[in-house]
Amino acid sequence: GRESEAEAPRTVAHEVPVTRQRRILERWVWAAVVLALAGIASLRLLPRAAETSEAPLTAHFVFEMPDGVTLTDFDPLAVSPDGRSIAFAGLSTAGTAQLWTRSLDAPDVRQLPGTDGGGQPFWSPDGASIGFFAEGELRKVNLASGTVQKICVLPLRSSWTAATWGSEGTIVFSVGAGLYTAPASGGEATLLTTPDERTHHWWPHFLPDDGRRFLFEIFGLQAETAGVHAENAGVYVASLDAPDERRRLLPVPMRARYGSGHLLFVQDGTTLMAQPFDLARAELTGDPVAVLSSVASGMVPRWGRFSVSSTGILTYVEGLTAETQLVWLDRTGNRLGTLGDPESYREIALSPDGRRVAAVVVAGTGLNDIWVVDVARGMPSRVTTGPAGAGHPVWSPDGGELVFRRNFGGGLYRQELRTGATASALPETPTHGIPEDWSRDGKILLYRTRNALWALPLEGNGAPELVLKTEFSLQAPRISPDGRWLAYLSDESGRYEVYVEPFRRPGDRVRLSRDGGGQPRWRGDGKELFYLSDDGRLMAVAVREGPSGPEVGMPEVLIPADTLRAVVGAPSDEDYAVTPDGQRFLVKARAEEDERQRIHVVTNWTSLLQ
């Protein structure tokens, strides 16, 4: 097993210099930033009369990611409490996530050794350490020594995590449905809040006072009507001393942060708002005012990608999301062509006959909608509309229907594509279920709840049948086209691996992947299974019938990560598709015109309110 503490190299970080041309162009910007930071720091030294006589300098500048590095999808950005450094989680072309830092008084980006697989960074109150999530653990890296230490094992595995570090040494983090605490020095995770069955508690954020009060979001997953939030949804303030005695500040769930006497949050997908907030009383005292109009939101419109320091530094990622191009590759990684125009693609699913692609696209509001793209012509047509958003498209065997999930309000729906009739809700399914696969005989829809897999009969009025239940996280189940095998992901080994077992019949279970895996896909004849390794390689494994279950070959690297260059999310995402003959792969590649993502920095951001 992994030791609780690993010594990183004494060199705390690898510096990645910008090019000479970029350094020259940025020189004036860094001078302005240093002046701005100096102006902010000097406020603490000058008499109050001098404070009011001259406003601190405001600067707005942009820096780019290192070559080949893109921000991770979920909560990738954090500015230090003193506003002098930024930490971000970046994904390399090899598919490896790592933490990086950039000081605002120098143009070099530094990679932090020992943070492989890390995401969702957050700072210690003194700025000496950065906390992060990796491989089912909450960890921290000390910036002076380079030491990486395990804080605690997460109660469950999830890519939807967030944390905040209080001044008294307590960390509050969200994973799954509830909030947990752990001592920053290391120890066991303790449940802090218990949501009801209809809601999740996310996005904790300590207020900068006594290290006891914090903000968090209650998000309703099962609203009665799509797009309508649960009655108790919203932004709340609570205390470590009495977490259940919470008070609602805002009636809409969102990722809220405190800075310079305001609560900041994103509205309408891209607009950053600031609302006056009395810190002593923890009360809103005025109306919200728009600060910026182009802040990225990620997968949910109100989960803005921004961070703010107590010294008036605001950082954010511009735009909704990076655009991607759908690209065809052969089995060796040779590029064969593109499909459609660049878009903000989330999930892609190829129809069983290989003629159409169902793609989840981020709309201008930040909501997800499903489009179908004709492979021969590259022409898209929209399938879902409305305020709820949709995702997880699953094709019928004949390619004439889709089953999908409504994101807000939940529920599984069935859409007939030929007639364009209104989608109908699937009976006997929970609103929090996720559709996963449709058997090739058309008789069964496979859907998943948290740790269980269900088969819903699509003929007659039969009730769902439990196929598999586990105490571990179960993700991405796929039935082989011949109906003999079930492939899925489980994290029982401490990381997600690919497993195959007989589908609804007795027999042995076999693990296919060796060093982590995700996103399993079958070839059309069920004799080969593809998956993505943890480091972003496209792998292939032969599968055949054995005397007591599946017999599998050794995993083979089809396309190296550097050649694949796919935009890859979580192990359960749908970032690539394979044709029925297993000879071509459709992947999400970053659009050429958007090779570099950009992080914006604004000093003295409150001047934007005037």
Side-chain angles (χ1 to χ4, degrees), residues 116-140:
D116 286 4
Q120 297 85 51
F122 59 99
W123 290 84
S124 62
D126 60 5
S129 299
I130 298 173
F132 62 99
F133 295 86
E135 299 177 338
E137 294 180 351
L138 182 62
R139 301 174 182 172
K140 64 180 179 181

Side-chain angles (χ1 to χ4, degrees), residues 143-499:
L143 297 179
S145 68
T147 302
V148 176
Q149 178 185 343
K150 180 183 75 174
I151 296 174
C152 70
V153 176
L154 299 182
L156 56 92
R157 290 290 289 265
S158 173
S159 58
W160 288 21
T161 52
T164 182
W165 194 326
S167 59
E168 293 188 345
T170 297
I171 293 174
V172 175
F173 65 94
S174 57
V175 60
L179 298 181
Y180 294 81
T181 62
S185 57
E188 297 292 328
T190 302
L191 184 65
L192 178 65
T193 66
T194 304
D196 58 43
E197 295 181 355
R198 301 180 302 112
T199 58
H200 282 199
H201 295 175
W202 289 337
W203 300 121
H205 173 66
F206 271 113
L207 293 173
D209 47 16
D210 59 359
R212 311 297 292 175
R213 295 186 301 171
F214 60 93
L215 307 173
F216 72 101
E217 172 200 61
I218 293 183
F219 186 81
L221 294 179
Q222 301 183 38
E224 295 180 1
T225 305
V228 176
H229 304 296
E231 290 182 359
N232 61 335
V235 175
Y236 286 76
V237 60
S239 171
L240 294 177
D241 303 313
D244 293 330
E245 298 177 10
R246 49 185 176 256
R247 179 161 48 86
R248 185 159 67 172
L249 301 173
L250 295 168
V252 176
M254 58 185 66
R255 180 177 177 269
R257 293 292 181 263
Y258 173 84
S260 303
H262 294 79
L263 285 193
L264 289 89
F265 51 88
V266 166
Q267 181 175 289
D268 299 327
T270 61
T271 304
L272 182 66
M273 310 293 292
Q275 189 162 357
F277 184 78
D278 185 317
L279 182 60
R281 297 185 299 169
E283 294 180 356
L284 293 166
T285 58
D287 296 326
V289 176
V291 179
L292 296 164
S293 60
S294 58
V295 177
S297 293
M299 65 182 67
V300 175
R302 289 170 298 276
W303 293 356
R305 294 182 177 182
F306 70 92
S307 182
V308 63
S309 76
S310 58
T311 58
I313 303 295
L314 171 66
T315 65
Y316 67 95
V317 183
E318 184 178 14
L320 278 172
T321 186
E323 288 194 338
T324 55
Q325 174 71 64
L326 300 183
V327 176
W328 287 107
L329 304 175
D330 65 15
R331 286 177 70 97
T332 62
N334 290 323
R335 185 165 173 151
L336 303 176
T338 61
L339 177 63
D341 296 324
E343 270 289 359
S344 301
Y345 294 110
R346 288 283 180 198
E347 306 163 65
I348 56 174
L350 190 64
S351 61
D353 60 9
R355 297 173 60 185
R356 291 189 290 180
V357 174
V360 177
V361 179
V362 181
T365 60
L367 293 171
N368 297 340
D369 281 315
I370 298 174
W371 293 68
V372 168
V373 183
D374 183 278
V375 169
R377 299 185 302 130
M379 295 296 294
S381 57
R382 191 169 186 166
V383 176
T384 63
T385 59
H392 302 284
V394 173
W395 284 99
S396 64
D398 63 0
E401 295 179 271
L402 284 174
V403 166
F404 61 89
R405 182 181 185 273
R406 295 284 188 192
N407 290 339
F408 293 92
L412 275 57
Y413 287 78
R414 186 172 181 172
Q415 175 73 62
E416 214 287 331
L417 298 177
R418 296 184 182 93
T419 64
T422 302
S424 58
L426 281 175
E428 303 291 337
T429 58
T431 55
H432 60 282
I434 296 175
E436 293 285 3
D437 204 2
W438 199 324
S439 63
R440 294 300 169 87
D441 60 11
K443 296 180 180 180
I444 293 171
L445 176 74
L446 211 61
Y447 72 88
R448 174 175 56 87
T449 54
R450 284 182 181 170
N451 293 325
L453 187 62
W454 303 83
L456 175 69
L458 295 176
E459 298 177 352
N461 298 314
E465 174 189 338
L466 181 63
V467 175
L468 185 63
K469 186 174 178 61
T470 172
E471 61 182 299
F472 304 101
S473 178
L474 189 157
Q475 303 280 345
R478 293 292 185 273
I479 308 170
S480 62
D482 58 13
R484 301 189 63 79
W485 311 113
L486 176 69
Y488 60 92
L489 307 179
S490 174
D491 67 346
E492 59 197 79
S493 68
R495 67 195 304 177
Y496 280 111
E497 302 282 2
V498 182
Y499 295 83

